[in-house]
Amino acid sequence: MYDMPQKMKGGFHGIRSKQISLVLVALVCTIILIWGCERTSILSSFILQDDQLSQLSRDILIDDSEPRPVLPKDSSQVNDGVESELDKKNNPEEHEQRNHQDTGKIPVDNKDTSGKALTAVEEGIIATGDEMSSDGKTEEAQPQTSEEGNPVDVDQNPENTNPTTDLESTLSNQIFNKSVWTRNEKQVCNYGKGKWVKDESRPLYSGFKCKRWLSAMWACRLTQRTDFAYEKLRWQPKDCDMYDFQGENFLARMRHKTLTFVGDSLGRQQFQSMMCMITGGEDRPEVQDIGKQFGLVKARGSIRPDGWAFWFPSTNTTVLYYWSASLCDLTPIDPSNPKTEVSMHLDRPPAFLQRFLHRIDVLVLNTGHHWNRGKLNANRWVMYVGGRPNTNRRIADIAGAKNFTIHSIVHWVDSQLPKYPGLKAFLRTISPRHFFNGDWNTGGSCDNTTPVSVGKEVMRDESSDSSASRAVWGTRVKLLDITAISQLRDEGHISRYSIKATPGVQDCLHWCLPGVPDTWNELLFAQIL
């Protein structure tokens, strides 16, 4: 009977202990909760909101108060494997790839002699994103994939794998990557839109000294010309910046690479300009002539070789020019006859490109001023398409033949890019002529000596060379647009100041060097940087 109260007492204390434990647990949880809230309020002062991140990203990437960017003079500081943040801002990478047939020719219906519908290339139209199948149906282009099934970016240079050490670039890539790409999608640099500005630091080299690389007929400092204000202008793009050109930085960027110009005499001027710019107009005896490696030797009876190639041993860089005024493959119809006609294959690239494309890293193509009936007749060029004399009336027209050829070679180069993912290819737009009151052989002249007297700005978004811009549309070949900006520079031509001038004949086609072609190379450098 006395055991029961003892048990009841023990049960009472057990219940009380459980209540105390629950109270203690609740108290501890409350303390932890309060401490956590206080800590959160403290940390919140260090956390940036989305709009703050976006603003910080813009502040890092855009600073209108900064002077024009200059690459480090020490070429060892130039990262050869990483795009600069400036280049990312001006030239965002493309993320969509198209399949291209691996062929060097454009299919042409040679049976059409009465003006029937032409192929897409003949019409000057290249589709974007879609390809035509053999039965004429549209097939959606599929991205290229690796053996493991992963997508492959054919525009990416496999050598560019070194991480950047630049703080600004690191922050932009790792922290603000989304904001950067959003801006790039909306703002793409149009280097052909901007204005000419006076720059007393110009020219980039001396027209007196650059004798090894510059033809005397284009060195206006060696002529009787006395006005040189045309040398003191620099092109400033409207919505983007360009680095100042420095030879050491160019060579560092082009380490173990080959730059090749293929085109007419204006392409040769751009090549000579580039050589003078890289060397600063100095002789540079260590630079070697390696033209023989590319078959560029003077043939018997020729005035000059078909081109030149120079090698800079310090960076293993080659700069090369090959003469191809039409960008067609030219073959003699009767090799045994010195006066034979020459087949002008409108749908084939020059044999030089077919042979040496694998050795080229940057390719610049141009053509235009040899596309006239007088040049074709003088050179005995006969239009061929599909390996036979052309019978298509629309292509037989000079303008039609030129457009067909430009589209053909751009299409061919584009089809080769998957094989050579490190290759960057450009089609340079036509260089304008400035003959007033006649043509070159009818008293035409270009006597103006006042720079940008007809205007200094180009505000249009589209290229004024519609033929070239349509040719590259939808391909991975880039447009080097120099036409409109050069149109404003009629005072920069050779004019009457030629070493071998003919009375009454002026050269309003070629340019004085130093001069306008230097700007073409600055635009090129900005797009390969």
Side-chain angles (χ1 to χ4, degrees):
M1 298 219 20
Y2 295 100
D3 293 336
M4 184 175 295
Q6 185 71 25
K7 291 181 180 179
M8 291 178 63
K9 184 177 180 180
F12 173 78
H13 286 293
I15 294 173
R16 187 176 181 181
S17 298
K18 291 180 180 179
Q19 292 176 342
I20 293 174
S21 299
L22 291 174
V23 171
L24 290 175
V25 170
L27 181 61
V28 170
C29 292
T30 302
I31 293 173
I32 293 174
L33 180 61
I34 294 173
W35 178 81
C37 292
E38 292 177 348
R39 181 177 178 84
T40 302
S41 64
I42 295 174
L43 290 177
S44 63
S45 63
F46 295 98
I47 298 177
L48 295 173
Q49 301 300 321
D50 289 343
D51 57 343
Q52 291 175 300
L53 282 173
S54 178
Q55 181 62 40
L56 181 56
S57 173
R58 288 193 294 268
D59 291 341
I60 289 177
L61 295 180
I62 304 176
D63 186 357
D64 294 335
S65 64
E66 291 183 356
R68 295 178 64 246
V70 179
L71 285 172
K73 292 184 178 180
D74 181 3
S75 60
S76 63
Q77 298 180 33
V78 179
N79 193 334
D80 184 42
V82 182
E83 279 188 322
S84 67
E85 191 61 41
L86 178 64
D87 187 48
K88 289 183 179 180
K89 180 174 70 174
N90 293 342
N91 296 287
E93 293 289 333
E94 298 177 359
H95 299 289
E96 296 183 359
Q97 304 298 333
R98 300 192 303 116
N99 282 337
H100 297 270
Q101 294 181 348
D102 182 17
T103 176
K105 299 181 180 180
I106 305 298
V108 177
D109 183 4
N110 291 296
K111 296 180 180 180
D112 182 7
T113 60
S114 58
K116 294 182 180 180
L118 302 177
T119 64
V121 173
E122 290 171 316
E123 291 286 4
I125 301 173
I126 297 181
T128 55
D130 295 333
E131 295 288 348
M132 298 299 293
S133 63
S134 58
D135 58 1
K137 297 180 180 179
T138 302
E139 297 180 345
E140 183 177 356
Q142 300 296 325
Q144 297 189 7
T145 58
S146 63
E147 295 180 357
E148 295 78 16
N150 299 321
V152 176
D153 183 0
V154 297
D155 282 334
Q156 183 177 355
N157 189 335
E159 297 178 3
N160 295 346
T161 56
N162 296 331
T164 179
T165 58
D166 182 77
L167 177 61
E168 176 181 321
S169 181
T170 302
L171 287 174
S172 300
N173 288 334
Q174 296 181 359
I175 301 177
F176 311 117
N177 188 56
K178 181 177 180 180
S179 176
V180 170
W181 283 109
T182 300
R183 287 192 67 255
N184 283 341
E185 291 172 357
K186 296 180 180 179
Q187 181 177 344
V188 179
C189 180
N190 180 355
Y191 289 100
K193 186 177 181 179
K195 63 182 179 180
W196 289 102
V197 296
K198 189 175 181 180
D199 189 340
E200 291 297 333
S201 67
R202 300 302 170 107
L204 298 174
Y205 56 91
S206 169
F208 288 113
K209 296 182 179 180
C210 194
K211 295 181 179 180
R212 181 180 177 186
W213 325 110
L214 178 57
S215 297
M217 61 183 175
W218 295 331
C220 289
R221 285 279 182 174
L222 302 180
T223 68
Q224 296 80 22
R225 186 162 185 164
T226 58
D227 63 288
F228 300 101
Y230 65 87
E231 294 182 348
K232 296 294 184 180
L233 294 180
R234 169 176 55 83
W235 178 252
Q236 176 59 58
K238 182 178 185 297
D239 296 320
C240 45
D241 296 319
M242 290 197 307
Y243 285 119
D244 282 331
F245 186 96
Q246 296 176 358
E248 295 83 359
N249 293 331
F250 174 86
L251 291 175
R253 179 63 184 90
M254 292 295 294
R255 185 181 300 275
H256 307 305
K257 291 180 171 59
T258 296
L259 165 63
T260 299
F261 297 94
V262 177
D264 55 22
S265 58
L266 278 304
R268 182 184 169 198
Q269 281 208 300
Q270 188 175 2
F271 159 74
Q272 293 190 1
S273 163
M274 178 62 81
M275 290 300 301
C276 291
M277 291 170 66
I278 297 173
T279 61
E282 302 297 333
D283 186 5
R284 299 287 289 271
E286 75 277 9
V287 179
Q288 301 178 25
D289 184 346
I290 59 169
K292 290 183 179 180
Q293 295 186 17
F294 296 90
L296 302 177
V297 294
K298 182 179 177 181
R300 180 177 299 178
S302 299
I303 300 176
R304 62 180 69 92
D306 288 337
W308 294 264
F310 294 102
W311 178 61
F312 293 80
S314 61
T315 56
N316 189 28
T317 301
T318 299
V319 181
L320 182 153
Y321 164 76
Y322 178 76
W323 184 87
S324 178
S326 65
L327 295 182
C328 297
D329 186 23
L330 302 175
T331 58
I333 296 176
D334 181 5
S336 62
N337 181 4
K339 297 183 179 180
T340 182
E341 292 182 327
V342 178
S343 55
M344 183 185 189
H345 297 278
L346 306 182
D347 55 344
R348 296 182 190 174
F352 178 87
L353 279 181
Q354 299 181 54
R355 180 180 178 186
F356 293 108
L357 187 65
H358 68 285
R359 297 183 60 177
I360 298 173
D361 300 282
V362 178
L363 174 64
V364 182
L365 303 167
N366 92 279
T367 187
H369 293 293
H370 278 251
W371 288 95
N372 59 74
R373 191 61 64 182
K375 290 287 187 181
L376 266 64
N377 292 338
N379 292 320
R380 299 188 295 276
W381 289 347
V382 180
M383 296 182 189
Y384 271 57
V385 176
R388 297 186 295 273
N390 174 55
T391 55
N392 190 308
R393 295 177 182 176
R394 295 182 66 179
I395 295 179
D397 175 74
I398 292 293
K402 172 192 169 186
N403 290 339
F404 178 77
T405 299
I406 293 175
H407 281 83
S408 296
I409 190 168
V410 167
H411 180 91
W412 178 79
V413 171
D414 189 50
S415 72
Q416 301 301 303
L417 291 179
K419 290 183 181 179
Y420 313 110
L423 172 62
K424 291 187 177 182
F426 297 85
L427 176 64
R428 202 206 73 210
T429 61
I430 195 167
S431 173
R433 306 158 79 248
H434 288 96
F435 289 97
F436 296 98
N437 302 317
D439 210 328
W440 70 272
N441 57 350
T442 58
S445 62
C446 46
D447 293 322
N448 176 43
T449 58
T450 304
V452 293
S453 59
V454 296
K456 64 179 181 179
E457 293 185 337
V458 175
M459 290 292 103
R460 61 184 297 170
D461 293 317
E462 302 81 13
S463 172
S464 55
D465 186 349
S466 58
S467 177
S469 62
R470 285 197 300 264
V472 302
W473 186 74
T475 74
R476 287 159 290 193
V477 177
K478 307 301 181 183
L479 193 70
L480 183 58
D481 191 6
I482 58 91
T483 303
I485 70 174
S486 304
Q487 188 68 44
L488 301 175
R489 300 298 309 280
D490 62 299
E491 88 290 353
H493 288 293
I494 303 293
S495 185
R496 68 184 66 194
Y497 304 101
S498 175
I499 294 178
K500 298 181 180 180
T502 301
V505 177
Q506 294 193 17
D507 187 351
C508 304
L509 171 63
H510 299 99
W511 304 90
C512 288
L513 291 175
V516 173
D518 301 335
T519 297
W520 305 349
N521 284 324
E522 289 184 281
L523 299 183
L524 174 64
F525 181 54
Q527 296 180 68
I528 65 176
L529 189 62

